[in-house]
Amino acid sequence: MQTISQELKNTLGSDVISYFKTMLLYRRYWDEVSGKYNYETNPIDITDNLIESSSVKWKLDNEDFNVWNISNVSLVFSNKNNVWKQEVENGYFPEGKLIHSSKIGIKTGAVKTDGTKEDGYVFTGYITKDPVINVEYKTITIDLSGQFALLENISAEEISNQITDELVGTYVEGEPNDVFVTLNNAVGIIISVKKGYTSEGAENALELVPSQDYTVADINQKLLPAEITLKEALSADESLWVSYSYWYTDKPLEWIIE
């Protein structure tokens, strides 16, 4: 939900309202410095090329302002001189700029009582399908997918952190030596648990069998580490090593997608 000023709220409640909308293109490109795909920070205003947009409304499909319940929208733009075609020198996507997964931000707003304008983003969509070009009318239809649609091809495990052979405990005389916790919270998957002599290290330790040799608690708990309880406690000179994956937490959807 986006915050708007009280003045704009008052304007929206008046009998005569002058609305406007803006389309901003954020082109995707390969960044040699970071070694990953990035988006331009300064978008291109493509509003004047918009021909029709039956789905882009101030209230969209919900009675609350700035609430979007659908996952995609179709936009029709002018395509004179093939400006939307990949690798056209004077087009939107010259060499180095990629149309696939570029994004378009849709902003809507209104003219306030003092004559100034105020707007805000109501939807950001990604170009995940091939645009449909109409050669006769020199137009192009672009289907924008919402951010959640891009997650369909992403495995959560691929963007988690993985820890290999973390030393979670060593025998301490007089202690129970059977319950240990990971150093990180939000553990999603226990890959392996190994027990062996401290001096010989994890590479020579015996891999334990889940349920038979140990149990695990507090998996997928954002604020808690995973707890490993051994069926047979550590003996003198023994240590315990755990390999696991734990989740990133408090990350915005844009970070996950990119």
Side-chain angles (χ1 to χ4, degrees), residues 61-94:
D61 63 331
N62 188 287
E63 282 304 307
D64 295 322
F65 293 108
N66 293 324
V67 175
W68 188 274
N69 287 338
I70 60 177
S71 62
N72 58 72
V73 62
S74 292
L75 303 174
V76 180
F77 293 97
S78 170
N79 189 38
K80 295 178 180 178
N81 302 317
N82 285 323
V83 292
W84 286 91
K85 188 176 181 180
Q86 190 78 53
E87 297 187 354
V88 171
E89 184 177 352
N90 295 320
Y92 290 131
F93 300 96

Side-chain angles (χ1 to χ4, degrees), residues 89-119:
E89 184 177 352
N90 295 320
Y92 290 131
F93 300 96
E95 185 176 357
K97 309 298 182 183
L98 305 174
I99 188 169
H100 180 71
S101 290
S102 283
K103 59 185 178 180
I104 295 177
I106 301 174
K107 301 179 76 175
T108 60
V111 179
K112 297 185 289 188
T113 53
D114 63 1
T116 60
K117 295 181 177 180
E118 182 178 336
D119 63 3

Side-chain angles (χ1 to χ4, degrees), residues 2-50:
Q2 184 164 292
T3 302
I4 60 176
S5 69
Q6 184 59 49
E7 185 179 359
L8 180 57
K9 291 179 182 178
N10 295 338
T11 300
L12 295 174
S14 65
D15 295 331
V16 180
I17 307 173
S18 178
Y19 293 115
F20 64 92
K21 54 179 171 282
T22 306
M23 306 286 155
L24 298 175
L25 172 64
Y26 292 84
R27 298 182 297 186
R28 183 170 174 255
Y29 67 96
W30 177 257
D31 188 345
E32 295 288 350
V33 177
S34 64
K36 64 178 182 179
Y37 288 105
N38 284 326
Y39 290 94
E40 294 178 317
T41 54
N42 296 318
I44 300 172
D45 190 331
I46 56 174
T47 309
D48 290 342
N49 287 337
L50 183 68

